[in-house]
Amino acid sequence: MDILSNIFLCKNEEDCEKTPYYGTMPLVLSHISALEYWLSVRRGSRSFVRVSRARSLLSSVPSRSSEKVLGPWWLARPLHVIVAGQEQRRPSSEFVCHVWSGPLPKGSVLDTQNGFCVCSPELCFLQMANSLSMVELIMLGFELCGTYDVSDGDVRECQPLTSVAKLSAFADKMHGVNGRKNALAALKQVVGGSASP
């Protein structure tokens, strides 16, 4: 069982369609920042809500005030976030903006309920497929699907963040997205439930 199978999700479609954001829309952590986030919260209980209209969140323009709202103080700066287009990108020491024009299926963006959203482990894996070598990507697949945590330098037991089946199904349907081919190739070498690196 992976962590996300036990999270709070919308009870019905009507609840999912409601937008609980007022004022500044929360930014969406992506790429290396999303990965760092997921690896840092593997232990303990967390509650997430699936964002059904994730594309609307990408229209936010990152700013210093966004960083204060964003909140995950323990993550390395600059924070990597996804935005809808070139017009939302801003030169900044606080943010690296990645334009995401690919699809965002329901469940690919999760609201942490702490003032920011994060790409799902499945979307994050696909994003990382563009910057990691094949060996590194295979290792990441083992870590995301494994029952071990090495975030503090020691190997500790934890629940998997996702499964090989979920990663493969997600990548398979993301036609035309950069990294898809590498992700699918790497996943052929990944076995779920590994207890150590």
Side-chain angles (χ1 to χ4, degrees):
M1 176 183 344
D2 61 69
I3 289 175
L4 299 186
S5 65
N6 285 330
I7 64 177
F8 168 78
L9 298 174
C10 302
K11 293 178 182 172
N12 57 52
E13 195 67 22
E14 185 178 305
D15 288 344
C16 282
E17 297 302 321
K18 292 176 182 173
T19 305
Y21 308 116
Y22 301 94
T24 304
M25 296 289 271
L27 299 178
V28 181
L29 291 179
S30 68
H31 298 78
I32 192 69
S33 294
L35 177 59
E36 186 181 359
Y37 173 80
W38 285 117
L39 296 180
S40 73
V41 299
R42 293 192 71 161
R43 296 175 60 91
S45 61
R46 301 288 183 271
S47 182
F48 303 93
V49 177
R50 244 187 330 233
V51 177
S52 63
R53 295 180 180 171
R55 177 70 52 195
S56 65
L57 297 181
L58 305 190
S59 61
S60 296
V61 177
S63 66
R64 284 188 179 272
S65 61
S66 300
E67 184 183 18
K68 290 174 186 170
V69 172
L70 197 51
W73 55 267
W74 67 93
L75 298 182
R77 294 324 197 240
L79 293 170
H80 289 247
V81 298
I82 52 174
V83 295
Q86 292 294 334
E87 60 276 8
Q88 280 82 34
R89 296 182 83 176
R90 295 289 184 271
S92 169
S93 60
E94 289 87 23
F95 298 101
V96 174
C97 298
H98 300 270
V99 174
W100 185 262
S101 56
L104 285 171
K106 285 183 184 176
S108 58
V109 173
L110 300 171
D111 184 344
T112 66
Q113 301 184 84
N114 286 304
F116 62 96
C117 294
V118 62
C119 292
S120 68
E122 295 79 19
L123 179 53
C124 178
F125 183 78
L126 191 61
Q127 292 167 341
M128 295 308 296
N130 285 317
S131 58
L132 298 179
S133 69
M134 185 57 65
V135 171
E136 291 170 327
L137 193 57
I138 292 168
M139 290 172 63
L140 176 59
F142 270 96
E143 189 167 3
L144 293 177
C145 301
T147 60
Y148 62 91
D149 169 47
V150 292
S151 60
D152 67 354
D154 293 324
V155 178
R156 301 178 299 173
E157 187 176 346
C158 66
Q159 294 295 316
L161 283 167
T162 187
S163 67
V164 176
K166 287 181 180 180
L167 290 172
S168 297
F170 187 86
D172 191 53
K173 65 184 176 186
M174 299 294 274
H175 296 282
V177 173
N178 289 335
R180 177 179 179 266
K181 183 178 176 182
N182 286 347
L184 289 171
L187 288 167
K188 291 178 181 175
Q189 308 299 318
V190 177
V191 178
S194 175
S196 63

